[in-house]
Amino acid sequence: MTQLPEVPPAGHGPKDVDLTGVRNFRDVGGLPTVDGRTVRYGRLYRSGHLAHATATDAAFLAGLGLHTIFDFRNAADHKLDGLDVELPGVRNVSIPLSDPADGAEFWRLVRDGNIQQLRSILADGKGTERMVASYRSIIRDRTAEHSRVLHALAEDSVPALMHCAAGKDRAGLSIAVSLLAVGVEKEAIEADYLKSNDAHRRYRIRRSDTSSAGMSDEVLELLDPLFGAEAEYLAAAFSTIEEIWGSTDRYLVEGLKIGPETRARLREQLVEDA
């Protein structure tokens, strides 16, 4: 008989669940808000894609009582990794947060390029610069998508799971925006974000050349900024909010069209009662 990971009782924090075919899964419950409350357990989850979920993984996820799965991957991601496994009774919502054509040649070189090509696109801090620019762009240019996510959470989508490919960047920002909207402290958002660096959560680098040369220490060092979670990246997202809108409140109201009633409903859905 297959032993499933334990699903915690409602209102209790889960054990650190390590799924076989799903990377970077976790419940964001327990994070503190600025008014002294905490995010409810069992309401909002995050992970990498579900395309490789095993039958045991799928049974565990089905046992969470999910209402909606938000998939922030694009068509190129789906082609590379596959579509999510289907979970009975769960609504799947696709909201791509990146353009398949954007950086297609860059990511081809990441996967297939030789050391000289990797140096040309990643050395001397260029990998970090690309990630910072990406985080800024998603905050600046994807307001409609993040608005859609927050309105859905406020209305009828909880419990929800958010994921992209690795569960680090696009999902990480969507989780961060959701947590900002209910008043979670930025330091707590950062601490959760950085958990994506844990060895058992981290995205496995995929290269066409898996030889010792293709996966050398220098290659892995060059690729590291792309596949790691860095406080600098999230800070760039928060700074972009301040630079464009002046404050988190104005970002939510003017950028994401989230009014007081919607924010109140979000808090009801995601935050423990006072």
Side-chain angles (χ1 to χ4, degrees):
M1 181 177 178
T2 301
Q3 181 66 41
L4 295 181
E6 183 180 344
V7 178
H12 292 75
K15 296 177 180 178
D16 191 12
V17 177
D18 189 9
L19 302 178
T20 303
V22 179
R23 303 289 285 184
N24 208 4
F25 172 84
R26 59 190 179 275
D27 187 334
V28 300
L31 298 181
T33 62
V34 294
D35 62 357
R37 295 190 285 172
T38 57
V39 176
R40 294 184 184 186
Y41 286 104
R43 310 297 280 174
L44 189 58
Y45 302 91
R46 58 182 294 175
S47 73
H49 70 76
L50 310 183
H52 301 159
T54 66
T56 302
D57 296 338
F60 169 77
L61 294 170
L64 297 176
L66 296 172
H67 182 289
T68 301
I69 293 173
F70 294 96
D71 184 351
F72 300 118
R73 298 179 297 160
N74 58 43
D77 296 311
H78 291 154
K79 185 176 181 181
L80 181 65
D81 290 317
L83 298 175
D84 287 344
V85 298
E86 291 288 333
L87 299 179
V90 179
R91 180 178 67 173
N92 293 280
V93 177
S94 177
I95 305 180
L97 284 181
S98 56
D99 187 332
D102 179 36
E105 176 61 15
F106 173 89
W107 289 106
R108 187 192 69 77
L109 289 177
V110 167
R111 186 175 65 251
D112 303 328
N114 60 34
I115 188 62
Q116 289 79 17
Q117 291 169 317
L118 292 178
R119 286 171 183 154
S120 72
I121 62 172
L122 297 172
D124 303 318
K126 288 194 283 288
T128 295
E129 290 170 7
R130 181 181 181 87
M131 294 302 296
V132 167
S134 173
Y135 275 57
R136 287 185 176 277
S137 174
I138 289 175
I139 290 295
R140 182 183 66 242
D141 301 331
R142 300 293 177 167
T143 51
E145 288 86 344
H146 281 143
S147 176
R148 182 181 169 193
V149 169
L150 291 188
H151 278 100
L153 291 177
E155 290 158 13
D156 64 353
S157 298
V158 175
L161 168 65
M162 297 185 185
H163 79 78
C164 49
K168 174 178 73 77
D169 303 315
R170 290 166 290 184
L173 281 175
S174 298
I175 287 286
V177 168
S178 302
L179 295 174
L180 282 176
V182 297
V184 174
E185 298 174 356
K186 286 182 178 178
E187 293 81 2
I189 296 175
E190 178 187 290
D192 172 73
Y193 166 78
L194 291 174
K195 286 182 179 180
S196 292
N197 286 328
D198 294 349
H200 68 292
R201 303 183 196 276
R202 194 176 172 94
Y203 188 72
R204 292 192 180 99
I205 295 174
R206 293 167 62 177
R207 294 262 295 152
S208 55
D209 181 358
T210 57
S211 70
S212 58
M215 296 291 284
S216 68
D217 288 346
E218 183 182 358
V219 167
L220 296 179
E221 185 176 344
L222 286 167
L223 294 175
D224 187 66
L226 306 180
F227 295 98
E230 300 293 338
E232 178 181 355
Y233 305 162
L234 192 62
F238 291 155
S239 295
T240 301
I241 290 173
E242 297 296 325
E243 291 161 11
I244 297 176
W245 290 279
S247 69
T248 298
D249 285 342
R250 282 187 59 192
Y251 164 65
L252 292 167
V253 173
E254 298 173 15
L256 305 189
K257 313 302 181 189
I258 302 297
E261 290 184 4
T262 302
R263 285 190 78 178
R265 288 201 302 272
L266 277 169
R267 283 190 289 268
E268 289 174 5
Q269 294 279 13
L270 300 178
V271 179
E272 296 284 1
D273 295 332

